[in-house]
Amino acid sequence: MKFAIMESVMTPGGHEIDYDRILVEELQALGHEVAFYVPEGHAFCHEYGVPVHTLSGAGVSYGSIRGIRKWGLAIKREWRRRGWYHQLLEAAKRREFDAVIFPSATYRYLRGLRKSRLLQSPVPLLFLIHGLTPDEAGRLQEQAQQVAAYPMVRIGVQTFAPEAFAGKGESNISYFPPPSYLPRDIQPQPLRLAPAELKLGFFGQYRREKKLDEFLELYLSCQFSRPVNLLVQGATANDADAADFERLIAQYKDQPGLEFLHQPLIGKDWQAALDSVDVLMMPYGAPRYRYHTSAMLSNAIGHQRPVIISDIVNPEVLRQFPIGEVFPNGDWGALRQVMERFVNEYDSKAAGYAAALDEAYAWYAPRRLAAAIVEMAQKGAALRA
């Protein structure tokens, strides 16, 4: 099959880049062709090595804008999206592709679709949604009902908890596991089973409300029976957060067993940083990660690194695959006990973590995502026939 990927994210981060790589490389590995369709002026942060087709009409962003101007830009963006949909429809009629993938779909995409002639597409339209809460599931099912009369519209939800939605969705909704993120640009190192010094890694965007001070004090108060080091990476999005992270770096610069990295990491740099540690720390958990898929957890599985993780972050994964240790979200005393036990008993449990990571990777392999997308497209094509 020939797949078109409609990519319109204006400022993609590492997650979006890696996800598009999965789509391209894994679909190609299954014997399919892939091409991108992007708005006018779209800039890629990675060379995917496939054809790129430009749709007239530039993207519209209003992330930091408020008031009437934001409302006006929102309307403009909806009109632009309808224009892209119309152009995709014409390309579909010319049989430039056999199916269209919308890799980071939201309810706005489906709402705009209902007002577009793209509903009459002669090829399957595959809208991929990254995670879903039960409340969101109800709204999605309403959206799915609105387009149920159009068999080419297929909705795919990637979730760590498909059983939470089993039997509750419309026939045009599919549920499947999210993919693991692989270190595709480096030669990854296997998990060290008995390192002389155990290296922990805490990665992600830093915001002042994360209470990193409390976590660092907790880490420094732990009683470890072996050499251990913690790498804290922070990417900051504004001057206030950047200044606060620099404050922490200055405050803890003389503490042994603690190092900081204040910069965003994408692509090869991100992969190398994850590969440099033995364990990934995930000590926070926003309520939405009970159901929304955690890209950090998917990175841990793909990079074959065990985790210390809050129990609110995709708990189904650790229940099925013991790839690390879990603590009750927000319970700092429990986190301290878990960290001490994990570090001090690591050598005796590392082989078990490695085996569980192998099993988890087989279940959440990127190839399975590609296969699920192909199955969605084939269902749509069969209905058309």
Side-chain angles (χ1 to χ4, degrees):
M1 298 182 70
K2 294 181 180 180
F3 285 91
I5 299 176
M6 171 57 194
E7 182 55 86
S8 59
V9 176
M10 295 185 64
T11 54
H15 171 73
E16 288 87 3
I17 294 169
D18 287 344
Y19 193 79
D20 282 346
R21 287 191 70 178
I22 288 173
L23 296 179
V24 171
E25 296 175 18
E26 299 297 338
L27 285 170
Q28 287 179 327
L30 292 176
H32 304 283
E33 298 179 38
V34 182
F36 280 100
Y37 284 73
V38 299
E40 182 181 333
H42 183 88
F44 281 106
C45 297
H46 177 78
E47 177 54 59
Y48 296 95
V50 298
V52 178
H53 303 275
T54 300
L55 304 172
S56 63
V60 178
S61 176
Y62 51 76
S64 60
I65 298 174
R66 298 291 182 269
I68 294 177
R69 190 181 173 202
K70 179 176 181 178
W71 177 76
L73 288 173
I75 294 175
K76 183 178 181 179
R77 184 160 72 173
E78 283 300 311
W79 277 106
R80 287 285 169 84
R81 181 177 290 117
R82 292 189 201 179
W84 301 334
Y85 282 177
H86 175 72
Q87 294 169 71
L88 285 173
L89 174 61
E90 295 306 311
K93 290 178 178 178
R94 295 192 297 268
R95 289 299 192 269
E96 293 182 12
F97 41 74
D98 300 309
V100 185
I101 299 171
F102 298 86
S104 302
T106 66
Y107 304 115
R108 289 192 301 271
Y109 285 64
L110 294 168
R111 184 177 64 229
L113 178 68
R114 297 205 316 270
K115 302 174 183 178
S116 166
R117 286 190 291 159
L118 186 58
L119 275 175
Q120 307 298 333
S121 171
V123 304
L125 307 173
L126 314 178
F127 292 85
L128 306 185
I129 295 177
H130 296 216
L132 200 64
T133 68
D135 287 343
E136 291 168 341
R139 292 194 292 271
L140 178 64
Q141 287 154 18
E142 291 177 5
Q143 295 280 354
Q145 290 171 4
Q146 295 288 333
V147 295
Y150 302 92
M152 292 302 98
V153 180
R154 318 301 300 176
I155 303 166
V157 178
Q158 58 180 44
T159 172
F160 282 118
E163 66 281 356
F165 311 104
K168 299 178 182 179
E170 302 300 317
S171 61
N172 53 359
I173 304 178
S174 300
Y175 298 95
F176 42 78
S180 299
Y181 292 97
L182 307 182
R184 296 172 185 262
D185 299 311
I186 63 173
Q187 183 61 43
Q189 298 300 310
L191 180 64
R192 298 191 300 170
L193 300 182
E197 178 185 73
L198 188 67
K199 189 168 184 178
L200 313 178
F202 183 17
F203 296 87
Q205 187 176 55
Y206 174 73
R207 294 185 297 274
R208 285 169 294 170
E209 61 267 25
K210 282 191 172 183
K211 300 180 180 179
L212 183 56
D213 307 67
E214 292 184 23
F215 173 70
L216 295 175
E217 290 299 325
L218 179 73
Y219 165 74
L220 292 172
S221 72
C222 287
Q223 300 296 311
F224 297 128
S225 61
R226 62 175 305 143
V228 61
N229 186 61
L230 172 65
L231 169 64
V232 180
Q233 178 258 342
T236 49
N238 57 58
D239 292 342
D241 287 341
D244 196 60
F245 196 69
E246 287 296 326
R247 173 189 65 81
L248 290 173
I249 293 174
Q251 179 178 339
Y252 291 96
K253 65 179 181 180
D254 296 325
Q255 287 287 350
L258 188 59
E259 60 179 297
F260 292 87
L261 180 62
H262 185 188
Q263 69 180 75
L265 299 172
I266 293 178
K268 186 176 181 179
D269 292 337
W270 171 253
Q271 296 165 29
L274 295 185
D275 196 60
S276 73
V277 303
D278 302 298
V279 182
L280 290 175
M281 297 290 305
M282 301 177 66
Y284 303 126
R288 68 189 182 96
Y289 284 116
R290 170 63 182 85
Y291 293 99
H292 278 257
T293 57
S294 166
M296 195 68 240
L297 182 54
S298 294
N299 272 284
I301 295 170
H303 283 257
Q304 299 284 280
R305 293 297 187 264
V307 297
I308 298 176
I309 189 170
S310 160
D311 66 351
I312 203 172
V313 181
N314 302 135
E316 293 80 10
V317 177
L318 272 290
R319 282 202 292 265
Q320 185 175 0
F321 305 105
I323 62 173
E325 300 298 329
V326 183
F327 71 95
N329 187 55
D331 188 335
W332 292 101
L335 174 57
R336 175 178 175 172
Q337 294 177 358
V338 166
M339 288 176 63
E340 290 178 343
R341 183 171 66 250
F342 181 98
V343 169
N344 296 337
E345 298 177 2
Y346 177 82
D347 289 0
S348 64
K349 295 184 176 180
Y353 296 141
L357 283 163
D358 285 340
E359 294 177 4
Y361 176 75
W363 188 254
Y364 301 116
R367 192 68 48 84
R368 292 193 67 191
L369 171 66
I373 291 171
V374 172
E375 183 178 354
M376 286 174 62
Q378 290 174 339
K379 283 182 179 179
L383 290 170
R384 178 187 64 206

